[in-house]
Amino acid sequence: MSDTDHFVEFERVQKSYDGEVLVVKDLNLAMPKGEFLTMLGPSGSGKTTCLMMLAGFETATHGDIRIGGRSINHIPPHKRGIGMVFQNYALFPHMTVAENLAFPLEVRKLDKSERETKVQRALDMVQMGDFGSRRPAQLSGGQQQRVALARALVFQPELVLMDEPLGALDKQLREHMQFEITRLAHELGITTVYVTHDQTEALTMSDRVAVFDDGRIQQLDAPDVLYEEPKNSFVAGFIGENNTLVGEVVEIKSDQLCVIRLDDGEVFDAKPVNVHKVGDKTRVSIRPERVEFNKDRMTPDAHTLHAEVLEFIYMGDIFRTRLRVAGNDEFIVKTRNAPDQPRLKPGQQIEIGWMPEDCRALDA
Amino acid sequence: MSDANLTDGPITTADGTSLKKSLRLALRRQKIRALLLIAPLFLFILLTFIAPIFDMLVRSVENQSVPETIPRTIDALEAWEAGAGAPPDEQVFEAFYTDFALAVGYKTHTKLGARLNYESSGLSSLFRSTGRKVGKFDTDAYADAFVEADPAFEDPAAWATWMAGAATRQALPLTADTYDAWATMLMDTKGKLAAETEIPDFVTTALYRDLANGSRPADMPDVNVSGWEPVSLAGQFAGANKGWADPQVWAIIKTYGSSYTPGYFLNAADLQLTPEGISQRPENQRIYVRLFIRTIVLSVVITGTCILLGYPVAYLLANLPLRSANVLMILVLLPFWTSLLVRTSAWKVLLQNQGVINDVLVWIGIVADDNRLELINNATGTIIAMTHILLPFMILPLFSVMKTISPSYVRAAKSMGANDWTAFWRIYFPNSVPGIGAGSILVFILSIGYYITPELVGGTKGVFISNRIAYHISSSLNWGLAAALGTLLLVLVMALYWVYDRIVGIDNVKLGG
């Protein structure tokens, strides 16, 4: 990817509010045009600060932020031409929906007829064509969300920022809007930076997800890579459900296979990701749906661990079984509700195993 | 329709009583509790606020003292035409003689003089001086003549017997009425019995008038009075004070003879009631309209300066981090913790001709020493001091409204391409208008009735209508006029409130939240 392909770039960006603590530590990020990128992370991880720096409401303490190759460090927010959707929509309460949408066009000095056409087109785009004369307070949360989206898009910005825009909606509406937003973003070819702390949202909507923690991007990858191949234990723990076992590397056979010994002496195979030499402490991560306890489905030579069933929860489409493995009471196994699937009973003693490549030895 | 049976009759509860009735019963306890909770405050307000306001409203039109003190005169004046330019005829003076003599007995003639003095100055002294002379009128000639005709006329006990007889009372209505009024007055003021007190001249005068009119007493010595020389009461009064010959005086008494009068209100609007109708007061007596206008204009100016000075402070308060905002808030509230009188006096020290501000300006060289600024005892002083005192009432509602304006509104506006000014003017300002509305209505209504500060720093050119009201309450004692002015002020404020509601809309006023 050549430098000119990078539409939005963060280069060695740092941010501190008080001169003592860095909220954003050495952020490097490059986005091609048209990408839908999500910044995901717990609160206080610096993701919103990054968004605000991009929008121009915060200035970077150090480093360079570029849009289309041009440094925007010294461009005030109103000249950046970035559309933005806020967490609480920030619809102007004293204006009607149409006036809200016309505002960005008005400050751009478009004439009235052109404004009206664009406003109507934007409202139609979010299926709100008949609501132009309403006040924001007369709309439901979902409708306000659509209007906020239309307002951010009405002046046809190339870059749109969204700051947890679906946080206030109920689950069903949220899922619907997730689909709407991605559809619009792709149809219009807009580059989108989306901030959320909801990992499902991040995984379902994005082209790439940047997982933030402690002021750094911990991993920046496509959703499937992020889920299946987390690079460190934070990402593994933050994205999706995850079982963790703590142990030590006893042998590295290749870059695909190593042997881990747990604290209680049990031994099994894993894929070395963040371990480099024998003796390294490691946290091993296995997704609950990749754990197998049916001997017939395991490779014959696979290492197995002893487990005791603590709880069996029937969840409809899946079964969720809680086990005690190597002293860990929170070891979860998820199995599909299939006719031949056995239902484990609490107290039952079983052997569990997995494919070595599903078991990732990460940093301790 | 399928739901027609629902409208057949009232919905009932399981045991058959009407649902509405059960609901009322269930809510009654709550209602009683709520009433009991507000009762103390309600009673307090009723006694200390609503009742005085009602009393004020009554006082502003009440005029009982005139018809109560001189009822016979007012009746007799009915027939008199003020426009004719001549004093009333003898009959009026005869009635007035009785009324006035009784009033002197009750010592209410000076009060009546004071009351009528509000309408035309000089009447107070007229009533007072006449009061000293009314006992020495030449009407004692009648008494002497009656005694000469029959010595029994000198005996109070004989009079008491005569006046108890129904036939005599019927035959001599005027005498009976006057005697009764005198007897009541004696009992009320001195606790004496008429039967043991010397008969005063005005009673014998009444008897003379009855007899002269041709009445014949039933069981009292009949005296032929037709040959007697009548004493002209008009002449007696004119002799006591020339003022009684002036038709103007009688015109005022006639005009203000009713129990209720619009006179105070007219006076408060620089008008007066004359026999010809309502007219403007003479140029040199018109002060209230000017004062009302000044009060409104100055209050508007004070409200305006409060907005100008308070808005930026409130904005800062709402947008600073909590710790600095708290310090600033304390500074804003500091004036509340000092006495109003102290603050106003401080302004006196600062603003006066040889005061701190002038001294500093002279020292810097902006103002010449012999041309110091007039900052006090005029409208400027009132505006400066009152703006300072009322500023917190503007800042606090503004602040609490601004606190609710999400910073994301301005951010959103900027992200859409609005520069700082446009974002402020088109987005922030319209959302802060309810705060301006609430602050303005508070400051304006407070300042329109303000008293202490204009009194202390306003001089003559910076005083408000309230100062005039206070003057009439405590100095001139013209409570009726004070009440009328107060009522006008109340009506004015309510009218302005209504206009404000029409223009801004009272729903647009927020004190926060």
Side-chain angles (χ1 to χ4, degrees):
Chain A
M1 218 183 261
S2 73
D3 260 8
T4 44
D5 285 341
H6 297 159
F7 182 55
V8 177
E9 278 176 287
F10 284 76
E11 193 188 330
R12 314 218 59 176
V13 172
Q14 295 184 315
K15 172 72 185 176
S16 171
Y17 286 106
D18 53 6
E20 286 167 13
V21 182
L22 279 175
V23 183
V24 175
K25 301 169 182 161
D26 194 26
L27 181 83
N28 293 285
L29 179 75
M31 280 175 76
K33 211 167 185 150
E35 188 182 45
F36 196 116
L37 182 135
T38 298
M39 294 177 170
L40 174 70
S43 52
S45 60
K47 57 187 196 304
T48 300
T49 308
C50 282
L51 195 76
M52 288 300 159
M53 285 194 287
L54 190 53
F57 300 124
E58 300 288 354
T59 48
T61 314
H62 175 83
D64 213 8
I65 304 172
R66 287 191 288 272
I67 296 179
R70 204 156 63 103
S71 168
I72 55 163
N73 282 14
H74 300 292
I75 298 177
H78 68 272
K79 291 191 177 149
R80 295 191 180 188
I82 300 175
M84 190 151 179
V85 181
F86 291 83
Q87 196 167 6
N88 45 13
Y89 319 135
L91 295 177
F92 307 139
H94 61 294
M95 295 181 176
T96 64
V97 166
E99 283 166 347
N100 262 285
L101 263 72
F103 184 77
L105 306 175
E106 231 172 281
V107 297
R108 286 179 169 72
K109 305 210 164 38
L110 264 68
D111 62 52
K112 196 160 183 265
S113 59
E114 201 177 344
R115 277 198 320 246
E116 277 167 6
T117 349
K118 288 200 170 189
V119 165
Q120 198 52 48
R121 201 191 301 149
L123 283 177
D124 288 340
M125 188 172 72
V126 292
Q127 286 102 49
M128 291 288 291
D130 300 334
F131 293 85
S133 55
R134 299 265 190 104
R135 297 255 167 188
Q138 295 169 304
L139 302 179
S140 70
Q143 290 170 331
Q144 290 188 28
Q145 174 56 51
R146 286 162 187 273
V147 174
L149 190 63
R151 193 178 64 173
L153 298 176
V154 71
F155 60 100
Q156 291 156 315
E158 292 188 298
L159 176 62
V160 174
L161 312 182
M162 303 194 190
D163 184 10
E164 308 210 14
L166 304 180
L169 302 184
D170 61 55
K171 187 167 174 282
Q172 211 166 2
L173 204 51
R174 196 161 60 219
E175 279 165 7
H176 182 70
M177 285 307 294
Q178 287 168 6
F179 168 72
E180 288 274 299
I181 290 174
T182 31
R183 179 182 65 83
L184 275 173
H186 286 129
E187 263 177 25
L188 301 172
I190 319 163
T191 315
T192 311
V193 180
Y194 190 100
V195 164
T196 183
H197 62 262
D198 180 340
Q199 39 141 329
T200 322
E201 209 167 279
L203 296 180
T204 52
M205 296 175 79
S206 327
D207 296 329
R208 282 196 299 164
V209 179
V211 181
F212 275 70
D213 186 47
D214 192 27
R216 288 177 204 280
I217 294 182
Q218 302 290 336
Q219 189 169 356
L220 172 59
D221 265 313
D224 53 341
V225 179
L226 210 58
Y227 185 79
E228 283 165 27
E229 296 167 25
K231 280 194 180 136
N232 57 39
S233 40
F234 174 79
V235 176
F238 193 73
I239 308 278
E241 210 170 359
N242 181 58
N243 292 312
T244 307
L245 296 170
V246 181
E248 193 185 305
V249 182
V250 288
E251 190 187 352
I252 301 185
K253 288 181 173 165
S254 69
D255 61 348
Q256 293 297 319
L257 196 63
C258 64
V259 180
I260 310 292
R261 188 174 61 219
L262 296 179
D263 294 346
D264 66 350
E266 291 201 79
V267 176
F268 61 94
D269 298 329
K271 179 181 175 178
V273 178
N274 257 349
V275 290
H276 307 292
K277 57 180 197 296
V278 172
D280 274 359
K281 286 271 172 205
T282 182
R283 298 170 84 86
V284 185
S285 145
I286 316 108
R287 295 292 180 194
E289 66 273 20
R290 298 290 168 97
V291 178
E292 191 56 73
F293 53 85
N294 190 340
K295 279 255 166 66
D296 303 343
R297 293 194 195 153
M298 282 188 248
T299 38
D301 59 338
H303 282 100
T304 58
L305 292 179
H306 179 75
E308 181 191 351
V309 178
L310 296 176
E311 197 177 4
F312 175 82
I313 301 165
Y314 178 83
M315 293 179 78
D317 53 346
I318 57 162
F319 302 147
R320 192 181 147 93
T321 314
R322 191 158 67 84
L323 309 175
R324 178 182 294 141
V325 177
N328 178 357
D329 279 355
E330 299 294 331
F331 199 97
I332 305 293
V333 177
K334 280 186 191 163
T335 42
R336 211 157 52 86
N337 182 359
D340 59 339
Q341 192 65 256
R343 300 186 182 190
L344 298 168
K345 291 184 180 57
Q348 209 174 333
Q349 305 290 329
I350 54 171
E351 293 291 320
I352 56 167
W354 44 76
M355 307 298 282
E357 60 267 31
D358 289 336
C359 174
R360 298 169 66 83
L362 305 169
D363 53 310
Chain B
M1 262 160 72
S2 61
D3 59 348
N5 54 346
L6 282 179
T7 56
D8 274 358
I11 308 171
T12 55
T13 55
D15 63 353
T17 50
S18 143
L19 187 63
K20 281 191 174 172
K21 200 171 154 191
S22 328
L23 189 65
R24 247 200 324 273
L25 269 171
L27 291 179
R28 181 173 294 159
R29 267 180 75 90
Q30 280 185 344
K31 276 191 188 158
I32 290 174
R33 222 168 79 99
L35 273 176
L36 282 177
L37 284 172
I38 61 160
L41 179 63
F42 179 73
L43 279 177
F44 177 77
I45 298 231
L46 192 72
L47 288 176
T48 60
F49 191 70
I50 296 178
I53 285 184
F54 184 74
D55 183 58
M56 179 185 86
L57 291 172
V58 170
R59 252 176 214 284
S60 62
V61 291
E62 194 186 46
N63 193 39
Q64 308 285 13
S65 69
V66 179
E68 269 173 16
T69 316
I70 49 170
R72 298 167 185 84
T73 318
I74 300 298
D75 280 348
L77 272 173
E78 282 286 313
W80 179 66
E81 284 292 331
D89 56 19
E90 184 65 14
Q91 263 193 329
V92 172
F93 278 100
E94 283 167 355
F96 186 58
Y97 178 48
T98 310
D99 283 339
F100 198 82
L102 284 167
V104 171
Y106 280 116
K107 297 193 170 59
T108 51
H109 66 293
T110 49
K111 274 187 202 152
L112 180 63
R115 162 68 190 97
L116 291 172
N117 201 53
Y118 300 147
E119 310 307 333
S120 171
S121 52
L123 289 190
S124 180
S125 62
L126 174 63
F127 274 75
R128 205 175 305 116
S129 69
T130 311
R132 287 192 293 271
K133 294 176 186 162
V134 77
K136 300 168 192 154
F137 277 7
D138 293 343
T139 44
D140 54 350
Y142 294 138
D144 295 346
F146 275 118
V147 174
E148 204 173 302
D150 190 327
F153 281 106
E154 211 172 9
D155 178 17
W159 273 85
T161 326
W162 297 333
M163 287 301 140
T168 314
R169 293 182 67 85
Q170 201 154 28
L172 304 170
L174 204 61
T175 317
D177 169 57
T178 312
Y179 182 86
D180 288 350
W182 169 68
T184 314
M185 185 268 283
L186 265 185
M187 205 59 209
D188 287 353
T189 57
K190 299 188 178 127
K192 282 205 253 176
L193 285 172
E196 298 160 1
T197 313
E198 193 190 336
I199 304 298
D201 291 345
F202 68 93
V203 177
T204 44
T205 307
L207 178 61
Y208 165 76
R209 282 168 59 203
D210 265 338
L211 296 175
N213 286 345
S215 305
R216 296 274 71 86
D219 47 9
M220 126 190 233
D222 192 3
V223 182
N224 185 5
V225 298
S226 55
W228 298 4
E229 178 73 17
V231 181
S232 163
L233 283 168
Q236 290 295 317
F237 273 104
N241 192 314
K242 282 203 295 294
W244 296 113
D246 182 2
Q248 248 353 88
V249 171
W250 290 100
I252 286 167
I253 295 177
K254 186 181 159 97
T255 314
Y256 291 95
S258 54
S259 297
Y260 295 94
T261 173
Y264 292 121
F265 276 105
L266 293 171
N267 196 346
D270 284 347
L271 301 170
Q272 62 185 352
L273 198 60
T274 61
E276 292 83 40
I278 294 163
S279 69
Q280 280 226 306
R281 283 190 171 262
E283 190 96 44
N284 58 357
Q285 291 180 17
R286 292 180 208 158
I287 56 167
Y288 299 114
V289 170
R290 223 170 56 205
L291 262 177
F292 269 116
I293 291 173
R294 180 198 290 164
T295 307
I296 293 171
V297 169
L298 286 187
S299 297
V300 168
V301 172
I302 289 162
T303 311
T305 42
C306 278
I307 295 173
L308 285 180
L309 297 177
Y311 197 92
V313 177
Y315 179 84
L316 202 60
L317 263 176
N319 290 289
L320 275 181
L322 196 63
R323 184 192 279 260
S324 345
N326 277 342
V327 174
L328 192 61
M329 183 57 106
I330 287 173
L331 291 179
V332 168
L333 290 177
L334 205 61
F336 273 142
W337 302 342
T338 3
S339 134
L340 176 64
L341 214 58
V342 171
R343 275 180 281 159
T344 307
S345 308
W347 277 113
K348 270 187 106 113
V349 175
L350 288 170
L351 293 176
Q352 59 186 260
N353 203 275
Q354 298 296 323
V356 178
I357 290 175
N358 263 314
D359 280 352
V360 169
L361 290 178
V362 168
W363 182 72
I364 296 173
I366 295 174
V367 171
D369 198 11
D370 53 357
N371 190 23
R372 286 171 175 249
L373 297 177
E374 293 281 340
L375 293 174
I376 202 166
N377 296 332
N378 55 20
T380 318
T382 305
I383 291 172
I384 293 176
M386 280 185 59
T387 299
H388 167 243
I389 284 159
L390 296 177
L391 203 49
F393 293 99
M394 179 63 78
I395 293 177
L396 291 178
L398 263 179
F399 163 72
S400 60
V401 167
M402 285 176 173
K403 201 78 186 149
T404 65
I405 304 176
S406 162
S408 64
Y409 289 158
V410 170
R411 286 185 166 181
K414 285 185 184 171
S415 79
M416 285 181 255
N419 60 25
D420 288 355
W421 169 251
T422 315
F424 169 77
W425 183 245
R426 295 283 315 278
I427 306 303
Y428 194 87
F429 183 77
N431 280 303
S432 68
V433 163
I436 298 182
S440 300
I441 207 163
L442 264 180
V443 169
F444 185 80
I445 288 179
L446 278 174
S447 71
I448 211 170
Y450 229 69
Y451 164 66
I452 294 182
T453 306
E455 181 75 22
L456 289 179
V457 299
T460 51
K461 294 196 191 102
V463 293
F464 281 6
I465 193 71
S466 46
N467 301 94
R468 203 64 199 168
I469 295 176
Y471 165 77
H472 283 306
I473 291 281
S474 57
S475 300
S476 83
L477 301 183
N478 189 353
W479 288 10
L481 181 57
L485 286 170
T487 308
L488 275 186
L489 191 60
L490 184 68
V491 170
L492 187 77
V493 168
M494 294 204 312
L496 286 170
Y497 183 81
W498 181 79
V499 169
Y500 183 90
D501 184 29
R502 270 298 159 98
I503 298 171
V504 182
I506 216 67
D507 303 337
N508 263 331
V509 168
K510 267 203 277 185
L511 290 168

